[in-house]
Amino acid sequence: MTARTRARPVSPYDGAAMLAGRAAGSLSRLLRRGAGGTLPGRVALALRPQLIGTLSADRRLVLVSGTNGKSTTTRLLTVALSLVGPVVSNADGANLLSGLAAALMADAGGTGTAVLEVDELVLPAALRTMRPAVVVLLNLSRDQLDRVEEVHSHVGRWARALRESPDVHVVANADDPLVVAAVWEGRRSEVGVTWVAAGAPWRADAVLCPRCGDAWSLQGDAWACADCGLTRPDPSWQLGSGGELIDPTGASRPLGLALPGRASAANAVMAAAAADLLGVPVVEAIRSFSGIRDVDGRYLRVDVDGRDVRLLLAKNPAGWLEVLAQLTSDTGGILLGLNARTADGTDPSWLWDVPFEQLRGRRVAVFGDRSLDMSVRLHYAEVAHDVVPDVGSGLAALAGMPVNVAANYTAFVTARAALRAAAA
Amino acid sequence: MTSLTIVSVYPEVLGTYGDSGNVRVLERRLAWRGISSTVLDVPLGAALPLQADLYVLGGSEDEIQHRALLALRESGLQSAVGNGAHVFAVCAGLQLLGNSMRRGDGSQVEGLGLLDAVTERLGRRVVGEVEARFVDAALPTLTGFANHGAGTELGPRARPLAVTTSGLGNGGQPRGPEGVVQGSVVATYLHGPVLARNPAFADWLLGRVVGRELRPLPSGPPEALHAALVGNR
């Protein structure tokens, strides 16, 4: 898999579409209507839908998808692949087709590598139009059920898209039954698949076999469906029980990440497996990972008036499960943020799928548009807490101690701005 | 009074929308009044105990709902209800208690017949906030989040639990019936979970099971959430 060297000339139609898109983006920025990030892509794709295929045609392209960990894995992979050549990425997290187009347009005519995170619902369209070299499949779990009715519908959509893209190499999480079902159905062979045992602590969406719907008992690491034969594949890469990376030779290496938590280590092993496939040796990949201290505010660590404050993102029950593990392994105060805007999913019922009981006895405060929903959840979990109007008041309520701030997407964005301002 | 038994029916499959929270709410509101209760989580494939006081069913995806229905047909739940047990069901749980329901693939299947209700697919999925006025119970506004692709029409033996004042009812209609009451069975389409959002409704339900009105609990976060959601602070 070597990068092609010569760029195809940009057609006049593609050029015109990109020009219009960029003009719209500049105008938007000039008028201060939003960040203008995805607008160029949106306008250009509306004028020229095939543009996204053209823009990616002369590149070595890697797509990263799944419910959780897309941005972090994309960042890790970008840093590792940058060791061997130029890399473009949608580091702003705009992961719909418009965002992918915008990221590629920013370097139109380029022939280097592109590492793009892709929304799990958009992945089939991206696979069809962009012909990537590698796709990294992290995990699937319930998320935004007001918008995406059923998580299991992803399995069928991913499987169909993989069947129609036989040339793309798949790097997939062997521990997530939903991901495994999609890859099995999409490939029906192990050729062109690299299995990574990256773990999958959240299992509530795999209580029935995701392939045949049979009632199975999902226990331990080596699961199998007695009815249809879906079996946890033998992984070539693994996240070890002590948080270390185990490579295909069986060699064990400490990851030494600055990013905290089990999920970060899992993302790093997925990224290392993909990087290896694209020519970056594992030792060099790991070394490059250790320089990443935060991912667009995820895991951001700031000093606020002498206090250590860390920011965590958790958008859905599977994500919260990982974040709770981190909160309970750490000391200090906990500030939880909850919104239910369109980007978050407008129904926060999923809070009840998360074992917040684990926070009993800790100092906790809650903020956000839907702080009262979180407050009721904590009330029934018998976790004493304060309801505060904003991040600043939350830090004040948790005076004299280090604080972990954990919030869902739009509340996280608010907290990120507040913490950056407070630290400045 | 001796201890109450609450059965959470197949919570690992009938719990897609956090509906397991309803059981938690019921159990805590009893405990805070000094009434002891035992919660039994009964997974799909296990035998349903038939001497319980209350059976709670939540929402689910279409395929899993069908499996739960097949298991419930053999479970003896109908005879338990015939012997006076109470049922509280949400969304997919409501649908499978009716006379019949239409699956996503278009096939019609017979329900448990505990509710005089028929469920058909809707042209468009109902998704969004709902407020409703209770029909028979003297309770404050019902609030919840609806998310369903099938709609339910009630027959003459069933009563609506409430009538929507904003958002859509059982059949996807504005100002339509929301939920069902028939004998000892109470059901609603609303998530939230609905008993977390509506503490007075939770207490009303518990009062029916216990057989007397329960003493009020001090006002706290659940009342604050309800007030904020229905906008009558």
Side-chain angles (χ1 to χ4, degrees):
Chain A
M1 257 174 255
T2 50
R4 296 173 202 120
T5 47
R6 221 162 52 84
R8 190 180 309 180
V10 175
S11 87
Y13 297 104
D14 291 341
M18 286 192 281
L19 204 63
R22 289 198 190 100
S26 307
L27 192 65
S28 168
R29 273 189 296 276
L30 201 68
L31 298 172
R32 300 186 193 285
R33 299 280 168 90
T38 63
L39 191 62
R42 228 161 53 225
V43 169
L45 280 187
L47 293 169
R48 186 93 174 140
Q50 62 270 52
L51 179 67
I52 197 158
T54 319
L55 284 170
S56 51
D58 293 306
R59 293 179 177 282
R60 187 168 67 166
L61 186 63
V62 186
L63 303 183
V64 177
S65 196
T67 306
N68 289 319
K70 292 184 287 287
S71 298
T72 299
T73 307
T74 298
R75 178 68 186 285
L76 290 161
L77 202 43
T78 299
V79 170
L81 295 178
S82 297
L83 296 173
V84 292
V87 180
V88 294
S89 182
N90 51 343
D92 58 352
N95 59 18
L96 307 181
L97 287 180
S98 53
L100 310 187
L104 294 173
M105 280 166 59
D107 183 41
T111 57
T113 301
V115 181
L116 301 173
E117 68 160 274
V118 186
D119 179 272
E120 51 276 30
L121 208 56
V122 172
L123 180 67
L127 279 171
R128 274 194 299 276
T129 50
M130 303 179 83
R131 308 194 134 272
V134 174
V135 62
V136 181
L137 305 177
L138 300 168
N139 49 60
L140 281 173
S141 68
R142 61 187 70 173
D143 189 20
Q144 298 193 30
L145 291 173
D146 59 318
R147 186 174 71 95
V148 183
E149 300 146 21
E150 305 196 342
V151 58
H152 290 98
S153 58
H154 288 314
V155 175
R157 287 194 203 106
W158 278 20
R160 261 192 309 284
L162 289 173
R163 207 173 303 135
E164 291 161 11
S165 317
D167 297 332
V168 61
H169 191 105
V170 180
V171 177
N173 185 352
D175 287 323
D176 187 320
L178 277 71
V179 170
V180 174
V183 176
W184 267 46
E185 284 297 310
R187 280 300 161 87
R188 299 196 182 273
S189 95
E190 299 280 300
V191 178
V193 182
T194 299
W195 291 111
V196 182
W202 173 260
R203 290 191 154 183
D205 291 307
V207 290
L208 301 181
C209 169
R211 182 155 175 250
C212 71
D214 199 47
W216 67 353
S217 159
L218 184 63
Q219 277 167 1
D221 290 336
W223 41 264
C225 176
D227 201 40
C228 75
L230 183 76
T231 307
R232 190 252 199 177
D234 286 331
S236 38
W237 297 75
Q238 295 178 62
L239 171 62
S241 55
E244 75 282 13
L245 177 149
I246 303 170
D247 75 15
T249 69
S252 177
R253 300 168 203 283
L255 280 164
L257 296 174
L259 301 177
R262 195 214 70 85
S264 297
N267 295 331
V269 178
M270 296 291 297
D276 177 74
L277 205 59
L278 294 161
V280 178
V282 58
V283 177
E284 290 175 35
I286 290 176
R287 195 177 307 132
S288 74
F289 295 164
S290 66
I292 301 172
R293 312 201 74 81
D294 77 278
V295 179
D296 206 17
R298 295 161 186 81
Y299 313 107
L300 178 73
R301 194 169 186 176
V302 294
D303 182 294
V304 181
D305 303 327
R307 279 199 287 165
D308 189 12
V309 180
R310 171 91 81 173
L311 179 60
L312 304 165
L313 171 67
K315 300 183 286 190
N316 47 48
W320 276 101
L321 199 63
E322 303 272 13
V323 161
L324 275 182
Q326 210 179 317
L327 293 176
T328 52
S329 72
D330 209 350
T331 56
I334 296 166
L335 179 58
L336 304 174
L338 182 72
N339 287 350
R341 301 180 191 174
T342 306
D344 303 306
T346 54
D347 173 17
S349 293
W350 52 265
L351 281 180
W352 294 76
D353 292 331
V354 182
F356 284 104
E357 285 77 7
Q358 292 176 13
L359 299 183
R360 267 182 214 153
R362 298 291 298 270
R363 290 267 297 147
V364 179
V366 300
F367 76 97
D369 302 346
R370 298 298 289 266
S371 57
L372 291 178
D373 291 76
M374 182 67 93
S375 170
V376 169
R377 176 69 191 92
L378 295 176
H379 177 69
Y380 284 108
E382 302 190 308
V383 175
H385 61 277
D386 296 320
V387 178
V388 296
D390 52 41
V391 174
S393 325
L395 294 180
L398 301 166
M401 57 179 86
V403 176
N404 275 300
V405 183
N408 71 337
Y409 187 67
T410 64
F412 162 88
V413 170
T414 302
R416 181 177 61 192
L419 292 183
R420 282 181 176 156
Chain B
M1 141 148 230
T2 53
S3 176
L4 285 186
T5 303
I6 301 173
V7 170
S8 182
V9 180
Y10 312 152
E12 82 289 9
V13 293
L14 295 180
T16 308
Y17 302 90
D19 298 320
S20 65
N22 289 322
V23 174
R24 176 96 197 144
V25 167
L26 293 171
E27 187 271 327
R28 282 293 89 195
R29 296 187 78 79
L30 286 171
W32 290 335
R33 293 178 166 97
I35 303 172
S36 79
S37 66
T38 306
V39 172
L40 301 172
D41 284 345
V42 179
L44 189 63
L48 214 58
L50 298 179
Q51 306 302 321
D53 300 286
L54 174 63
Y55 297 83
V56 182
L57 291 77
S60 76
E61 300 187 357
D62 185 68
E63 174 60 32
I64 290 174
Q65 177 190 25
H66 187 237
R67 283 176 179 270
L69 172 59
L70 296 181
L72 281 171
R73 278 188 192 150
E74 313 297 323
S75 70
L77 179 63
Q78 287 123 313
S79 66
V81 173
N83 292 332
H86 290 262
V87 177
F88 178 62
V90 175
C91 198
L94 177 159
Q95 294 172 352
L96 55 79
L97 293 180
N99 297 322
S100 71
M101 48 178 264
R102 182 86 56 191
R103 299 187 58 202
D105 65 6
S107 64
Q108 193 181 39
V109 291
E110 202 178 312
L112 296 183
L114 289 170
L115 294 174
D116 187 10
V118 171
T119 297
E120 290 287 344
R121 302 306 297 180
L122 292 168
R124 214 177 137 182
R125 199 171 175 90
V126 171
V127 181
E129 289 287 333
V130 171
E131 281 185 22
R133 180 171 40 76
F134 282 93
V135 173
D136 295 320
L139 291 170
T141 305
L142 175 66
T143 165
F145 193 95
N147 190 350
H148 50 107
T152 302
E153 296 296 328
L154 305 185
R157 287 180 296 123
R159 295 269 298 167
L161 173 69
V163 174
T164 65
T165 50
S166 80
L168 306 177
N170 294 335
Q173 328 86 324
R175 304 198 169 272
E178 200 311 300
V180 198
V181 181
Q182 185 174 334
S184 61
V185 181
V186 176
T188 173
Y189 264 110
L190 302 181
H191 304 286
V194 67
L195 299 183
R197 283 184 171 211
N198 299 276
F201 179 38
D203 288 348
W204 174 83
L205 201 62
L206 287 172
R208 284 165 56 99
V209 178
V210 175
R212 64 183 155 83
E213 202 172 320
L214 300 175
R215 71 173 168 85
L217 291 172
S219 187
E223 288 74 18
L225 172 64
H226 182 270
L229 288 168
V230 303
N232 58 1
R233 299 135 252 205

